Amino acid sequence: MAFPERFSNLPDYAFPRLRTLLDVHEPGGEPVLMTIGEPRHAFPPWIGDVITTHLQGFGRYPENDGTMALRVAQADWLGRRFGIDVAADTQILTLNGTREGLYNACMALCPEHKNGKQPVVLTPNPFYQVYAVAALSVGAEPVYLPATSEIGDLPDFHAVDPAILDRTAIAYICSPANPQGAVASEAYWETLITLAEQHDFKIFADECYSEIYRDAAPVSALGVAQRMGADPERVMIFHSLSKRSNLPGLRSGFCAGGPESIARMKQLRAYSGAPLPMPLQAVAETVWADEAHVDENRALYQQKYTIADEIFADVAGYQGPKAGFFLWLPVDDAEAATLKLWRETGVRVLPGHYLAREVDGVTPGQDRIRVAMVAEQEEMRRGLMMLHKALY
């Protein structure tokens, strides 16, 4: 049986690869899981009441584009948080989690050819795996741009060959970055948007970690684009309640951008999307409108930054994240460190290069481990202290 060749080069998914590395070995203590970025802080306590109030909605097919009330709540949040002005009816599309949107945006918006040639999709390296899979799904060439500490942990788009930029249809970028915790400044966005205008490509800005930060609140690519007067179709942004509100199981996200781009995504989603059930859309509407729980959640992560900074203060090359909830810790050999940690302590982390691709013989992250600071504070402290003792 023949299979599509374009999927023959899919990146290995990180967590099955990790299980292959670790699960043949017994843990050296009670397991402390610090691999998956699944928030474990409490979500707002009134969620159940909202679901109960709207329980009859499970008896209806959900609205595919999202209820107008939900889209208004999302548009209002963008206005309050970033000063972004979008029309709820034409510039917002609700999503069943942002992974769906990040994939389907490429399906809906990447052309078959760019300047008569195979289109290119740029992605940071390391990266969230869906970026590359989306590129391969549409027959584009994924081009992986190093996002290493030497250049500030964000890709240098100006270092890309102009011939590649002329073929570029889409550039994915995550800010705050997973895994490094770097944050794109307004100047960074201005430079990238200007480059995208010059070479006519779209920017897909994955901003799912924007509400977890140390000091300064991250800016949004769409807000910068609007202030610059860029093409309204130039930037698409993606947001979620998973990290902001500790609701990964709710699967509520949205994308915002130009009306033509949103219309094309809506058209595709009518055939392939899985909308949120109506009671969950009512929950999402309420959660996007509330900031008190977000402030409380952020304060908990800020306490965790302080704990990590204290534990790793003596580690050469340690840099605490500016945002997000991952530590990106320096080691000599990521796989060896991960295996040693598991076998000696039971602490489970992720080798950094499992999130990256080899380019020109180099795989970013081979000297890093990713550590998710999602556990309850004392469990996290215990895990980090065992990690420090075992590796440093």
Side-chain angles (χ1 to χ4, degrees), residues 20 76 102 112 117 122 127 136 143 145 179 183 200 207 214 228 233 237 241 272 278 293 304 324 341 374 384 390:
T20 299
D76 287 349
L102 289 162
E112 286 79 6
K117 299 179 180 178
L122 303 177
F127 59 97
L136 294 169
V143 172
L145 308 182
V183 177
D200 191 26
E207 300 180 346
R214 184 184 291 257
M228 292 174 63
E233 305 295 332
I237 59 172
L241 291 178
S272 63
M278 295 297 282
H293 75 279
K304 289 181 173 183
L341 194 59
V374 293
L384 294 185

Side-chain angles (χ1 to χ4, degrees), residues 60-331:
R60 296 171 48 199
Y61 282 120
E63 293 187 29
N64 200 60
D65 297 341
T67 64
M68 180 54 70
L70 174 54
R71 284 180 280 159
V72 166
Q74 292 163 337
D76 287 349
W77 178 75
L78 288 177
R80 293 193 310 274
R81 172 64 176 82
F82 299 109
I84 295 172
D85 182 19
V86 293
D89 56 341
T90 60
Q91 291 183 268
I92 293 272
L93 177 62
T94 63
L95 301 171
N96 193 334
T98 50
R99 178 170 58 181
E100 172 210 344
L102 289 162
Y103 181 85
N104 281 333
C106 192
M107 296 290 289
L109 302 177
C110 187
E112 286 79 6
H113 301 92
K114 175 75 184 292
N115 290 330
K117 299 179 180 178
Q118 181 188 20
V120 161
V121 171
L122 303 177
T123 177
N125 196 23
F127 59 97
Y128 183 36
Q129 307 291 289
V130 71
Y131 307 159
V133 175
L136 294 169
S137 296
V138 298
E141 177 188 355
V143 172
Y144 303 96
L145 308 182
T148 58
S149 58
E150 293 78 10
I151 57 172
D153 289 317
L154 292 170
D156 180 3
F157 290 94
H158 271 283
V160 179
D161 185 335
I164 296 293
L165 292 174
D166 285 339
R167 291 172 50 210
T168 297
I170 292 162
Y172 281 101
I173 180 168
C174 184
S175 174
N178 170 12
Q180 308 95 322
V183 177
S185 66
E186 183 142 351
Y188 183 96
W189 285 126
E190 288 175 353
T191 299
L192 176 55
I193 292 165
T194 298
L195 194 68
E197 296 265 79
Q198 291 170 349
H199 292 272
D200 191 26
F201 60 82
K202 292 182 181 295
I203 298 167
F204 289 175
D206 181 352
E207 300 180 346
C208 290
Y209 295 88
S210 70
E211 303 315 287
I212 302 172
Y213 52 84
R214 184 184 291 257
D215 298 311
V219 297
S220 172
L222 186 56
V224 176
Q226 288 189 348
R227 289 191 287 277
M228 292 174 63
D231 183 339
E233 305 295 332
R234 185 65 57 204
V235 174
M236 299 285 292
I237 59 172
F238 300 81
H239 283 272
S240 168
L241 291 178
S242 296
K243 283 75 177 178
R244 173 188 181 268
S245 302
N246 303 305
L247 286 166
L250 184 65
R251 310 311 302 141
S252 175
F254 70 88
C255 60
E260 181 180 346
S261 298
I262 293 296
R264 289 176 178 271
M265 288 187 67
K266 286 182 178 180
Q267 184 179 31
L268 175 64
R269 198 167 193 275
Y271 295 97
S272 63
L276 280 182
M278 295 297 282
L280 302 190
Q281 293 197 39
V283 169
E285 175 192 339
T286 307
V287 175
W288 282 112
D290 181 77
E291 288 298 322
H293 75 279
V294 183
D295 295 338
E296 293 169 3
N297 185 49
R298 185 183 307 116
L300 292 175
Y301 282 113
Q302 289 170 339
Q303 293 170 16
K304 289 181 173 183
Y305 294 151
T306 299
I307 292 170
D309 289 349
E310 292 171 353
I311 292 173
F312 297 106
D314 64 342
V315 174
Y318 168 75
Q319 287 186 322
K322 293 181 179 179
F325 50 52
F326 294 113
L327 296 177
W328 190 234
L329 296 178
V331 293

Side-chain angles (χ1 to χ4, degrees), residues 31-47:
V32 179
L33 306 182
M34 308 184 85
T35 53
I36 299 177
E38 181 180 64
R40 293 189 227 164
H41 295 166
F43 54 73
W46 34 261
I47 295 294

